[in-house]
Amino acid sequence: MKEEIMKNIKKKLDEDINADVENVFSVLPWYTKKALKRVLCMSALRKVPMLSQMDEKVLKMMCDYLKPVNYPEDTLVFQMGEPLDRMVFITEGFMWTYTTATESGHFGKATEPATSPSMDTNFLKKGDSYGHALLHFASSSLAALPSSDANVRCHTNVEAFVLMAKDLRNIVTKCEFLWPFDYNASQVEAAEQVVPLAQPFPVEVGISRCGSI
């Protein structure tokens, strides 16, 4: 894998010495991206309680749908009470989650006195993830996205992969017979008629149905 990555970086630099090769995924072909995402994220998926015993075919498809993202230091990725539209899997850097009774400023310091005596905080590091509530959402016919139960802010620059809610719904539909939770295809199909989020989305290159992964 390392040799393949370095080969593609060298090729890109030969074509353009000023090419941005720090963003490795931008210079890799789709089949290498696919393999690399599985190497980087399979163990992180297994750490999620609901996915610890999941069929490997489903996890591979989840990896294939992951998209790389970079968050600058101090970025507020999720705000408490706002819709949770993605799961985030950290590959480099640190985030922290916190709950407060007031709007928060830099690194969670309240701009107004909080009504509770303390904040409930938790650090997220490489291999950790946030947004597990989306798994319950994708396993049901619920139309509304769940809300974030905490603020999630970057303590450092963060490299991560995200799995969007619409893609997770797509995965559950494709892997209906391997998804062990309360999935009802007829309910989801009914929801798709009225909920834009749940409408079918085009399958990305290299992504197939669970049975053929």
Side-chain angles (χ1 to χ4, degrees):
M1 182 67 68
K2 290 180 179 178
E3 291 177 358
E4 177 71 14
I5 291 172
M6 293 307 299
K7 176 183 176 182
N8 282 278
I9 290 177
K10 184 179 183 301
K11 179 181 178 182
K12 190 68 175 180
L13 289 174
D14 288 342
E15 296 172 352
D16 180 8
I17 192 64
N18 296 315
D20 177 17
V21 293
E22 288 191 9
N23 181 8
V24 174
F25 270 78
S26 68
V27 301
L28 298 179
W30 71 266
Y31 51 86
T32 306
K33 293 178 183 178
K34 180 176 181 176
L36 184 57
K37 286 190 289 186
R38 292 181 178 185
V39 169
L40 292 175
C41 300
M42 187 65 75
S43 60
L45 288 171
R46 287 286 188 197
K47 285 178 64 177
V48 178
M50 281 185 68
L51 301 178
S52 61
Q53 302 300 317
M54 182 65 72
D55 189 286
E56 186 173 1
K57 291 179 180 179
V58 180
L59 296 182
K60 285 181 177 180
M61 179 171 281
M62 293 178 77
C63 285
D64 296 346
Y65 272 99
L66 292 173
K67 298 177 176 63
V69 294
N70 291 281
Y71 295 115
E73 178 183 343
D74 203 28
T75 299
L76 184 62
V77 181
F78 297 106
Q79 186 168 355
M80 186 175 176
E82 293 297 313
L84 189 68
D85 66 345
R86 71 196 66 191
M87 294 180 68
V88 177
F89 298 88
I90 302 172
T91 54
E92 290 293 339
F94 296 89
M95 291 180 176
W96 72 313
T97 70
Y98 59 94
T99 58
T100 61
T102 62
E103 289 296 321
S104 296
H106 186 75
F107 284 105
K109 295 179 180 178
T111 57
E112 298 177 9
T115 56
S116 58
S118 63
M119 292 188 301
D120 181 16
T121 62
N122 182 44
F123 268 95
L124 301 177
K125 60 185 184 303
K126 179 179 179 179
D128 291 339
S129 56
Y130 185 82
H132 303 170
L134 276 184
L135 294 171
H136 295 285
F137 164 78
S139 302
S140 71
S141 59
L142 294 174
L145 287 168
S147 299
S148 177
D149 59 7
N151 300 297
V152 181
R153 188 182 294 274
C154 295
H155 185 59
T156 65
N157 293 335
V158 171
E159 295 178 13
F161 287 90
V162 297
L163 180 61
M164 304 304 296
K166 66 181 187 300
D167 292 333
L168 185 55
R169 267 276 170 87
N170 212 354
I171 292 167
V172 174
T173 301
K174 292 176 181 297
C175 300
E176 174 184 356
F177 299 108
L178 295 175
W179 193 263
F181 308 115
D182 297 330
Y183 172 70
N184 186 311
S186 61
Q187 289 180 335
V188 172
E189 288 171 0
E192 287 174 353
Q193 303 301 316
V194 295
V195 184
L197 175 66
Q199 290 177 354
F201 286 82
V203 178
E204 297 181 14
V205 175
I207 300 177
S208 56
R209 296 192 67 86
C210 271
S212 59
I213 292 177

